[in-house]
Amino acid sequence: MADKKPRIFLSPPHMSGYEEEFVEEAFASNWIAPLGPQVEMFEKEICEYTGARGALALSSGTAAIHLALRLLGVEQGDIVFCSSLTFIGSVNPILYQGAQPVFIDAEEKSWNMSPVALQKAFNWAEAAGRMPKAVIIVNLYGQSADYEPLLEICDYYGVPVIEDAAESLGATYHGKASGTWGKFGIYSFNGNKIITTSGGGMLVSDDTEALQKALFWATQARDKALWYQHSEMGYNYRMSNIVAAIGRGQLRVLDDRIQARRRVFERYKEELGGFAGIEFMPELSSGYSTRWLTTLTVNPDICGVEPLEIIEALGRENIESRPVWKPMHLQPLFKGCKYFTHGDKESISDYLFARGVCLPSGSSLGWEDQVRIIEIIKQKIAG
Ligand SMILES: *Cc1c(COP(=O)(O)O)cnc(C)c1O
């Protein structure tokens, strides 16, 4: 225990040095709070990077989803479709609006929303006369969902899409930025994402009028008056100038971070991909993944080891790894919610949860540390 190595995290922050320059600019101009030029520049730079027409910097990705739902008129008693295999942040805003989530399964080829399951859900909704007000499609672990078939279905029913690109900033699908395929897209700059502002989010859309309305709500819905006057309910959801300054520094190196994460993935794949019973999350041929997290499935019948045993073995060496997201339809919070599977009975997200492992994937992960991780896993598989 004496030579216990420093902890290796799943996805730690990775600063570039530019962040301090922009933060210093903000300090020098005494523009500490609340809004200011850094926020506007950050929004402009996100638009340039993603090709979105408009962007609104917010306190979190969850806040961005909440505003998108409200913009789409989601209210008490409404239904919203959402990917089941995701982080709770995708779904909580549905509850904030008093609406009801209906969960949609994943497909094997992308681990993202299954068009087959989505069609089933629409068939049910149509028969029940309860059409959803919105569909939240999540892009998991750095990879865009397969939007062509998904949007074809949503367009057919005339239901708008919110793209949860919290984990996929920098990815593309048919060459177009992840986050720009839906009516609204959201990004997160939480501490573990591919770039971070310590915490924050962004709402993007080509509908700049809608973003103006979201800005109004995000800043306590102040009417135009000298005094503080309010006719609508609002929130304190805006990003601060200091946080935006960090974001600008991070955005400068986003492409380097993507390259680094993809290299981390390639090494894992080279070293572990040959073992029977180990499968990596596939990449769509029409997409480009950032490989935010390297994720794989372990078949215990072939490998002779349970995924959790690998996670525990790494944990004993002070290395953080995790199971894949626990699907929302399995969460106690959502007991009784409707769920539509990809197969007749087979649920892909249950399968991925039972077998999936997320490995340390930070852009700052060193070669020697990664070798150590790989050796521990090899020993478990071979042992
Ligand atoms: C991180 C994350 C969010 C929430 O973003 P925050 O900025 O932490 O609120 C939402 N959806 C997914 C899929 C995420 O991974």
Side-chain angles (χ1 to χ4, degrees):
M1 290 304 283
D3 63 342
K4 197 159 183 181
K5 301 232 168 43
R7 186 157 177 80
I8 300 176
F9 292 98
L10 204 59
S11 180
H14 186 184
M15 294 296 120
S16 67
Y18 294 120
E19 298 82 6
E20 279 167 287
E21 288 177 29
F22 290 121
V23 170
E24 212 156 280
E25 247 178 58
F27 269 79
S29 60
N30 197 34
W31 225 314
I32 309 303
L35 288 181
Q38 298 292 334
V39 175
E40 275 156 34
M41 296 286 273
F42 189 32
E43 289 171 343
K44 193 167 148 271
E45 287 161 8
I46 283 282
C47 285
E48 280 162 9
Y49 187 90
T50 61
R53 198 175 293 160
L56 182 66
L58 298 163
S59 53
S60 73
T62 307
I65 296 174
H66 186 196
L67 292 171
L69 288 171
R70 191 160 161 199
L71 285 168
L72 293 175
V74 173
E75 292 173 0
Q76 187 83 31
D78 282 337
I79 281 180
V80 175
F81 289 176
C82 184
S83 306
S84 184
L85 189 62
T86 187
F87 173 63
I88 187 75
S90 311
V91 194
N92 271 334
I94 301 174
L95 304 184
Y96 301 167
Q97 287 303 96
Q100 227 178 309
V102 167
F103 296 113
I104 315 290
D105 197 7
E107 60 175 349
E108 265 173 311
K109 71 173 182 189
S110 70
W111 292 26
N112 285 313
M113 187 181 280
S114 152
V116 177
L118 179 65
Q119 183 62 58
K120 282 194 208 169
F122 270 113
N123 292 347
W124 162 80
E126 201 171 34
R130 298 194 66 189
M131 278 309 219
K133 276 269 180 75
V135 180
I136 300 174
I137 302 177
V138 182
N139 306 319
L140 280 184
Y141 300 125
Q143 161 150 276
S144 174
D146 197 4
Y147 279 93
E148 273 186 343
L150 293 170
L151 287 178
E152 195 181 315
I153 297 168
C154 294
D155 289 347
Y156 175 83
Y157 292 99
V159 178
V161 167
I162 298 170
E163 196 181 348
D164 181 347
E167 302 180 4
S168 66
L169 176 62
T172 61
Y173 176 74
H174 287 290
K176 186 170 169 335
S178 187
T180 64
W181 286 82
K183 163 90 182 156
F184 296 104
I186 76 99
Y187 301 113
S188 167
F189 310 110
N190 196 5
N192 61 355
K193 298 302 196 297
I194 194 157
I195 59 170
T196 180
T197 59
S198 72
M202 192 77 75
L203 177 65
V204 296
S205 181
D206 286 342
D207 186 346
T208 49
E209 220 170 286
L211 292 180
Q212 277 302 314
K213 187 76 202 187
L215 168 62
F216 172 71
W217 286 329
T219 48
Q220 304 285 25
R222 283 175 62 181
D223 293 342
K224 282 204 178 72
L226 259 181
W227 44 88
Y228 284 87
Q229 175 173 304
H230 308 275
S231 320
E232 285 187 66
M233 182 184 75
Y235 319 92
N236 182 5
Y237 273 177
R238 198 69 162 121
M239 180 181 278
S240 89
N241 208 44
I242 297 297
V243 165
I246 300 171
R248 291 184 64 206
Q250 287 273 279
L251 192 56
R252 277 217 182 170
V253 293
L254 174 56
D255 287 336
D256 294 339
R257 299 301 184 249
I258 295 168
Q259 294 311 319
R261 297 226 182 207
R262 285 185 64 95
R263 273 199 303 276
V264 165
F265 166 80
E266 288 302 334
R267 286 189 209 125
Y268 279 128
K269 186 152 190 214
E270 253 165 53
E271 295 291 329
L272 300 170
F275 287 89
I278 297 282
E279 304 227 33
F280 286 85
M281 179 183 183
E283 184 174 28
L284 288 174
S285 57
S286 48
Y288 181 78
S289 169
T290 67
R291 295 290 181 186
W292 169 56
L293 293 186
T294 291
T295 51
L296 48 75
T297 54
V298 177
N299 183 338
D301 300 332
I302 301 173
C303 297
V305 61
E306 293 288 338
L308 286 181
E309 292 178 78
I310 292 178
I311 291 171
E312 281 160 11
L314 290 167
R316 280 193 293 275
E317 297 295 325
N318 209 16
I319 297 164
E320 183 187 23
S321 63
R322 279 182 192 276
V324 164
W325 297 124
K326 179 171 180 169
M328 292 300 126
H329 72 276
L330 298 178
Q331 300 287 352
L333 176 62
F334 298 118
K335 216 174 137 202
C337 286
K338 274 204 152 304
Y339 171 57
F340 292 91
T341 55
H342 175 77
D344 277 345
K345 292 216 175 60
E346 193 196 13
S347 165
I348 303 294
S349 59
D350 285 63
Y351 170 89
L352 293 173
F353 174 56
R355 293 189 172 178
V357 178
C358 304
L359 296 177
S361 308
S363 42
S364 53
L365 180 66
W367 171 234
E368 275 176 28
D369 281 339
Q370 198 177 352
V371 167
R372 217 152 55 82
I373 296 163
I374 289 165
E375 286 312 312
I376 293 164
I377 298 171
K378 278 185 180 168
Q379 268 174 21
K380 284 313 277 186
I381 302 171

